[in-house]
Amino acid sequence: MLANAGFHASKNMTIPENIEIIRIPPYTPELNPAEKVWQWMKERVAMKFSEDID
């Protein structure tokens, strides 16, 4: 799966027959599975405070 970002384009890429590239529309983070990981991390890790380092 590739986003349509300019840096994801390559004219010299050889794709095996058993692999299909799916391009998602630009500006659709909800369709990108990696974005789900960042959302999960933000909900569970970001801005959490502890009493001590342990």
Side-chain angles (χ1 to χ4, degrees):
M1 179 178 290
L2 292 177
N4 276 328
F7 53 85
H8 286 163
S10 174
K11 294 179 181 167
N12 299 328
M13 190 165 52
T14 304
I15 303 168
E17 290 182 23
N18 62 340
I19 294 181
E20 179 181 351
I21 301 294
I22 300 171
R23 296 189 183 275
I24 60 175
Y27 308 111
T28 52
E30 68 275 5
L31 297 178
N32 188 344
E35 295 296 334
K36 302 289 185 189
V37 174
W38 293 122
Q39 180 181 359
W40 183 88
M41 292 290 287
K42 284 171 61 176
E43 290 171 358
R44 286 162 181 80
V45 177
M47 301 304 291
K48 303 293 181 188
F49 300 98
S50 299
E51 294 295 322
D52 57 37
I53 201 161
D54 292 331

